[in-house]
Amino acid sequence: MPEAFIYDAVRTPRGKGKSSGSLYVQRPIDLAATALASLRDRTGLDTSLVDDVVLGCVTQAKEQGACIARFAALQAGYDLDAPGSTVNRFCGSGLEAVNSAASMVGSGFFDCAIGGGVESMSRVPMGSDGGAIFDVSQQWSFGSVPQGISADLIATMRGYSRADVDAFALESQRRAGRAIEAGVHQGSLVPVLDESGLPILAVDELPRPDSTLEGLGKLQPAFEMMGRQFKLDTLVRKQYPHVHRVEHVHTAGNSSGIVDGAAAVLLGNAELGQRLGITPRARVRSMAVVGEEPLIMLTGPMPATRKALQRAGMSVGDIDLFEVNEAFASVVLAFMEELDVPHDKVNLWGGAIAYGHPLGATGAMLLNTALDALEQKGLGTACITLCIGGGMGIATIIERV
């Protein structure tokens, strides 16, 4: 069987996902096109060789509707022969897109494919596409609540206090601040330019490295009213009767930020590298997706990681570093506790609590970060994993070449 190699990976900066954010002036198609064009230019890719462009995008409505992957490729000046496909696995969409591209290359059906993602949360707000996940009757029928309540449930069941989740959030901000100051992202960070070629945003906009525990402690719980007044805590107790009271510990400061951004990853077989005269940076070792109980929802990274490790014939100790999406602080705390992974191997440069979580792009961005970290630290293997709405998890293991 042919192998799926990662030849390059790029991403835009993450801009604040509101009308005052720097990337609000950019259409999502332009963000995706920025990443795709950069990937082509950096590698000298003949885009007529691209068998597919697969992009993750969660809120596929308005400017993000109508198969944004295909039209972003056209916007980027790709050959007309390069098709496009847009996928939605909620927060795992960006990694799902990379995995889909890698699967087709690894199967031998494709020689070259691009995976990635895009989300403009300032221009296309989360939930604009509607659907069952926002339907109250559906929530009560199969047990689904807003993700923040699920995160609070995890914290309650595992005994994580407000101090615990705030301390984790502060460390994420500190790590991000040190990483940005050291310029660790510069090799793969692509500035977003205006029509005149002037930079709109060249660095991540959201991190707050000057955060303090005192400041974080002043923030109000973000999901308490939802849980108490809208009776969603009652639904939690119906599924988990031993939980007498959900402790609402998550705030805007220890949860992922709302941001805009895009990413792209070039995958291909060994012959592609020979044809382009470039060396692969890594190979995809294994991947996995799982379903989980939909009310607690956010525990999927643990079984997904175990499944990916089993398929690769590896153990947790064989992984040099982990990128675990910081959707909420309790998610990563639970991952480290259950898999017995030390924090010094997880999210070395901070995570989505600091940088933000552009839903459809995050998975590809985390793979990008893991690849950069492996190279800069001289390490060999990484596992990238995300929790997913509706009770799912996704994980991918890569290995430096």
Side-chain angles (χ1 to χ4, degrees):
M1 293 289 289
E3 291 190 281
F5 291 102
I6 300 170
Y7 283 96
D8 204 5
V10 300
R11 70 170 178 91
T12 69
R14 299 171 179 95
K16 293 179 181 178
K18 54 181 69 176
S19 58
S20 60
S22 296
L23 296 184
Y24 176 70
V25 297
Q26 285 282 292
R27 300 176 303 166
I29 190 174
D30 296 320
L31 293 178
T34 294
L36 292 173
S38 176
L39 194 67
R40 173 200 60 211
D41 296 344
R42 285 162 54 111
T43 59
L45 175 65
D46 175 357
T47 56
S48 68
L49 301 176
V50 176
D51 291 305
D52 206 2
V53 175
V54 188
L55 294 184
C57 184
V58 173
T59 308
Q60 296 183 31
K62 301 179 180 178
E63 291 181 315
Q64 291 182 166
C67 191
I68 191 171
R70 169 59 172 169
F71 290 99
L74 294 173
Q75 179 80 0
Y78 275 38
D79 193 278
L80 298 182
D81 289 343
S85 174
T86 309
V87 300
N88 181 3
R89 198 185 287 278
F90 294 133
C91 298
S93 298
L95 192 57
E96 174 70 20
V98 173
N99 288 353
S100 296
S103 296
M104 294 306 292
V105 172
S107 69
F109 288 114
F110 287 1
D111 298 319
C112 171
I114 292 172
V118 61
E119 203 82 32
S120 176
M121 301 181 76
S122 63
R123 295 176 70 104
V124 189
M126 182 168 49
S128 300
D129 52 343
I133 197 170
F134 302 106
D135 187 323
V136 174
S137 64
Q138 292 292 324
Q139 290 174 351
W140 280 87
S141 66
F142 53 71
S144 179
V145 293
Q147 289 188 349
I149 293 178
S150 299
D152 288 336
L153 175 60
I154 292 171
T156 300
M157 293 175 66
R158 289 182 173 266
Y160 303 146
S161 67
R162 173 66 183 272
D164 293 330
V165 292
D166 279 351
F168 179 87
L170 182 65
E171 180 61 15
S172 180
Q173 294 287 357
R174 288 174 172 171
R175 291 184 179 194
R178 292 193 296 265
I180 292 169
E181 186 176 0
V184 300
H185 302 299
Q186 291 307 307
S188 55
L189 197 60
V190 180
V192 178
L193 309 177
D194 65 16
E195 293 181 355
S196 303
L198 299 174
I200 295 173
L201 186 65
V203 296
D204 293 300
E205 191 171 36
L206 193 67
R208 301 176 299 278
D210 58 348
S211 297
T212 64
L213 279 178
E214 181 183 10
L216 290 170
K218 292 177 180 179
L219 298 174
Q220 295 299 309
F223 308 98
E224 185 170 25
M225 179 182 295
M226 206 177 292
R228 307 266 193 257
Q229 295 189 11
F230 293 104
K231 308 298 183 183
L232 293 177
D233 285 0
T234 303
L235 179 57
V236 169
R237 288 193 295 273
K238 180 181 177 182
Q239 184 72 25
Y240 297 93
H242 59 287
V243 178
H244 300 295
R245 177 185 176 88
V246 177
E247 298 298 330
H248 292 283
V249 298
H250 285 91
T251 69
N254 53 44
S255 308
S256 56
I258 294 173
V259 290
D260 306 331
V265 181
L266 176 62
L267 299 113
N269 55 23
E271 289 71 27
L272 178 70
Q274 295 167 6
R275 189 164 184 173
L276 298 178
I278 57 177
T279 302
R281 298 173 63 186
R283 61 167 59 86
V284 177
R285 282 286 302 268
S286 72
M287 61 187 73
V289 290
V290 299
E292 279 279 86
E293 193 277 302
L295 195 146
I296 202 165
M297 193 185 313
L298 307 175
T299 54
M302 286 84 94
T305 296
R306 290 193 183 100
K307 192 173 183 179
L309 287 168
Q310 182 181 27
R311 286 179 168 169
M314 302 173 74
S315 67
V316 170
D318 294 323
I319 302 299
D320 293 320
L321 63 87
F322 295 82
E323 283 293 325
V324 185
N325 189 35
E326 294 177 0
F328 302 91
S330 65
V331 173
V332 190
L333 289 173
F335 179 90
M336 293 190 294
E337 180 184 19
E338 186 164 322
L339 272 65
D340 193 23
V341 179
H343 198 179
D344 60 9
K345 293 179 70 172
V346 178
N347 301 355
L348 304 186
W349 296 336
I353 288 173
Y355 296 97
H357 175 21
L359 304 177
T362 301
M365 288 185 171
L366 293 184
L367 185 143
N368 187 315
T369 298
L371 184 59
D372 285 346
L374 287 178
E375 291 174 341
Q376 293 182 36
K377 299 288 185 180
L379 301 174
T381 56
C383 176
I384 302 95
T385 184
L386 300 92
C387 58
I388 302 173
M392 294 183 283
I394 188 169
T396 302
I397 295 173
I398 64 173
E399 180 181 41
R400 270 183 68 204
V401 174

